[in-house]
Amino acid sequence: MLKWKQTKDGTTALLIKGARRVGKSTLAEEFARKEYKSYILIDFADAKPELMEAIKHIADRDYFFTQLQYLYKVNLHERHSVIIFDEIQRCPQARQAIKYLVKDHRYDYIETGSLLSIRKNVQNIVIPSEETRLTMYPMDYEEFLWAMQDSVTIPLLHQSFNSSRSIGDGVVRDLLRKFRLYMLVGGMPQAVCTYLSTQNLADVDAVKREIIELYMDDFHKIDPSGKISKLFQAIPSQLTGNASRYKKTAVIGTTIEENAFAELLHDLEDSLTVNIAHHADDPNVGLAMHADYRQYKIYLSDTGLFTTLAFWDKNCVDNIIYQKLLSDKLSADLGYVYENMVAQMLVASGHKLFYHTWPVPNSNHNYEVDFLLSQGSKICPIEVKSSGYKTHASLDAFCKKFSFRIGNRYLIYTKDLHHEQEMTYLPVFMTSFL
């Protein structure tokens, strides 16, 4: 955000997109408070009639700015003030006007929003090209530790990762306890704040249920048929099934046309409540060029929400994942929690998600490499284990099949950092370093 302010100097608006309740408004206002002489925050989710009347005259910039200062009792200072358009998707007219507000150049502009590109939010407007876009994700593990007053752990872990130095079993056990707590609480700021103030996971779970219900309400507004909601709710069960793809027909049937379904999937992805991994048919550098967009897996963007959704019909006390994770007894059939966590960490580190499957010879089973990264001229395969086991048949078969394309290879698991021949065994809490 500072880089945008310093380098763009008002020639673009900053658009912060992210899922609902991920903290976009708080972040924008905190930035405005620290970096500008004054600011006005316009919340289109709670806009007064007087504001909407002023918006109608936004083409008359002098009139519009005067009205804002009267309405919000704030003096705007040329090149030293910022106007925040919060929940900009609710006022397409204001978003379209960004082109001309930026050209006017008196003030800076920050937009925040979710569901920014679904049809009803962009219909009949010209989307401005004068936007610098940032995506905001749930708090990552380092940010979670900051909230726990720990700013030391991640830099030390990074040193160990860079030097390929083991950490020690005792330290790993302690770090895993903290990491499992992060998996349960998640990175939604409201859930983290609730944990810090109450230390009660039942209270945290109640907050996460409120957030999920808010998402469901949004999905029903987009799609009254309920199909998007069904796709979202079925994510844990689809991952549990160990299938090589998300089976949409098992969730919403076969009556929907392919183009109509593609739009539903786009709207779900646009909500930024999920992360989608696409199948790479011919794994190679430039994974997107080899992706099969009809074959995919869907993860929740926040693993804390995932643990709540997976046992939606149970309260916190009866949630098996809570019990098993806290006691470090997560069974193999719950390993998809770790897979969702790794997907979340890779996305937060800037990666697109791809995976690869192919049949095991003379068998009804498939090999599967959970994630693929493109690094330089090589691809890096990743297999995720929810335990300390070092078995990796799929990874070995993949590296044999595509031997000339393979760079580093990783098995992400729950033990110490370890190197063995060409394989790196990586503790799950180090995933963000990849």
Side-chain angles (χ1 to χ4, degrees):
M1 293 175 75
L2 278 170
K3 183 179 179 182
W4 161 78
K5 182 177 185 290
Q6 293 163 359
T7 61
K8 297 298 184 180
D9 189 31
T11 58
T12 68
L14 180 66
L15 175 62
I16 305 173
K17 56 183 182 175
R20 297 279 298 277
R21 297 289 181 87
V22 81
K24 303 181 297 296
S25 306
T26 302
L27 182 69
E29 188 167 14
E30 184 71 9
F31 182 75
R33 185 180 293 115
K34 287 185 175 182
E35 302 299 329
Y36 291 89
K37 190 173 181 179
S38 69
Y39 70 93
I40 289 175
L41 189 151
I42 300 172
D43 183 1
F44 286 114
D46 186 29
K48 298 178 180 178
E50 297 89 343
L51 171 65
M52 299 314 295
E53 184 62 31
I55 292 290
K56 292 179 182 178
H57 302 281
I58 201 168
D60 184 345
R61 251 74 73 194
D62 290 336
Y63 175 82
F64 177 64
F65 295 141
T66 300
Q67 289 298 303
L68 288 186
Q69 291 174 89
Y70 274 125
L71 287 171
Y72 289 91
K73 306 295 188 292
V74 171
N75 286 321
L76 293 173
H77 306 275
E78 189 165 334
R79 302 304 315 132
H80 295 288
S81 295
V82 62
I83 299 173
I84 303 170
F85 290 140
D86 195 24
E87 302 291 355
I88 188 69
Q89 76 279 0
R90 292 176 178 263
C91 188
Q93 183 183 358
R95 188 178 181 196
Q96 181 172 256
I98 283 293
K99 176 182 180 69
Y100 306 101
L101 294 173
V102 164
K103 187 177 181 181
D104 177 84
H105 205 242
R106 266 178 269 187
Y107 313 113
D108 283 356
Y109 300 92
I110 298 175
E111 307 163 88
T112 76
S114 53
L115 301 166
L116 284 164
S117 62
I118 66 169
R119 185 182 298 174
K120 73 172 187 176
N121 290 336
V122 296
Q123 204 164 17
N124 302 322
I125 72 164
V126 177
I127 298 175
S129 58
E130 295 78 8
E131 288 177 335
T132 298
R133 301 184 181 190
L134 293 178
T135 302
M136 186 172 178
Y137 300 105
M139 295 167 67
D140 64 20
Y141 185 46
E142 181 174 18
E143 292 162 339
F144 179 78
L145 290 178
W146 290 345
M148 303 285 286
Q149 304 302 310
D150 178 358
S151 58
V152 175
T153 294
I154 295 299
L156 288 175
L157 286 176
H158 216 152
Q159 289 177 22
S160 296
F161 177 81
N162 289 335
S163 63
S164 301
R165 195 172 59 240
S166 63
I167 309 165
D169 292 340
V171 175
V172 168
R173 283 194 295 271
D174 181 60
L175 291 172
L176 279 169
R177 278 193 291 270
K178 290 182 182 179
F179 189 76
R180 292 196 300 270
L181 179 64
Y182 171 60
M183 293 174 71
L184 291 175
V185 174
M188 300 304 284
Q190 192 177 357
V192 175
C193 286
T194 300
Y195 178 76
L196 292 174
S197 60
T198 69
Q199 305 287 301
N200 187 320
L201 287 174
D203 291 343
V204 174
D205 194 68
V207 167
K208 292 190 290 177
R209 286 173 184 271
E210 291 174 4
I211 294 172
I212 291 172
E213 286 171 350
L214 179 68
Y215 291 168
M216 295 298 189
D217 289 343
D218 284 343
F219 295 148
H220 279 291
K221 290 174 186 175
I222 300 167
D223 169 41
S225 74
K227 289 185 175 67
I228 294 180
S229 295
K230 289 179 181 177
L231 291 171
F232 180 81
Q233 288 175 296
I235 291 171
S237 63
Q238 287 284 310
L239 288 176
T240 311
N242 292 318
S244 61
R245 68 175 75 186
Y246 189 103
K247 296 181 178 179
K248 69 176 188 291
T249 55
V251 179
I252 60 174
T254 58
T255 57
I256 188 169
E257 293 182 0
E258 198 63 36
N259 287 343
F261 177 77
E263 186 169 338
L264 291 179
L265 190 63
H266 166 267
D267 290 347
L268 177 60
E269 189 171 19
D270 188 61
S271 72
L272 294 173
T273 62
V274 302
N275 296 316
I276 298 182
H278 293 284
H279 190 273
D281 290 344
D282 180 26
N284 210 335
V285 176
L287 288 162
M289 294 188 295
H290 307 282
D292 179 355
Y293 289 95
R294 298 165 300 177
Q295 189 175 175
Y296 49 84
K297 300 176 82 169
I298 307 179
Y299 303 94
L300 257 68
S301 61
D302 181 73
T303 304
L305 296 181
F306 182 93
T307 59
T308 295
L309 185 63
F311 287 85
W312 188 252
D313 59 336
K314 305 281 188 181
N315 63 35
C316 176
V317 176
D318 296 325
N319 188 322
I320 297 171
I321 295 178
Y322 277 70
Q323 297 171 19
K324 298 293 187 181
L325 268 177
L326 285 172
S327 60
D328 193 21
K329 294 179 180 177
L330 196 69
S331 56
D333 62 334
L334 294 177
Y336 54 86
V337 183
Y338 278 91
E339 191 178 334
N340 196 96
M341 185 76 256
V342 170
Q344 178 183 342
M345 296 176 81
L346 290 175
V347 169
S349 298
H351 297 290
K352 300 292 184 183
L353 300 181
F354 298 94
Y355 70 104
H356 182 70
T357 64
W358 73 105
V360 177
N362 304 314
S363 170
N364 294 325
H365 300 288
N366 284 334
Y367 286 123
E368 179 171 328
V369 174
D370 295 315
F371 301 103
L372 297 168
L373 305 182
S374 179
Q375 294 182 344
S377 60
K378 301 290 185 178
I379 53 173
C380 301
I382 297 172
E383 190 169 336
V384 180
K385 298 285 187 183
S386 61
S387 63
Y389 295 125
K390 294 182 178 180
T391 56
H392 39 79
S394 290
L395 206 53
D396 290 341
F398 181 86
C399 292
K400 183 178 180 181
K401 183 180 179 183
F402 300 105
S403 57
F404 294 106
R405 305 178 185 178
I406 305 301
N408 297 319
R409 58 199 74 175
Y410 299 97
L411 188 139
I412 294 176
Y413 74 151
T414 58
K415 295 293 183 181
D416 199 357
L417 179 65
H418 175 69
H419 295 275
E420 193 172 289
Q421 296 178 339
E422 297 174 305
M423 183 74 68
T424 297
Y425 297 90
L426 191 72
V428 62
F429 47 74
M430 285 186 168
T431 300
S432 58
F433 303 149
L434 296 179

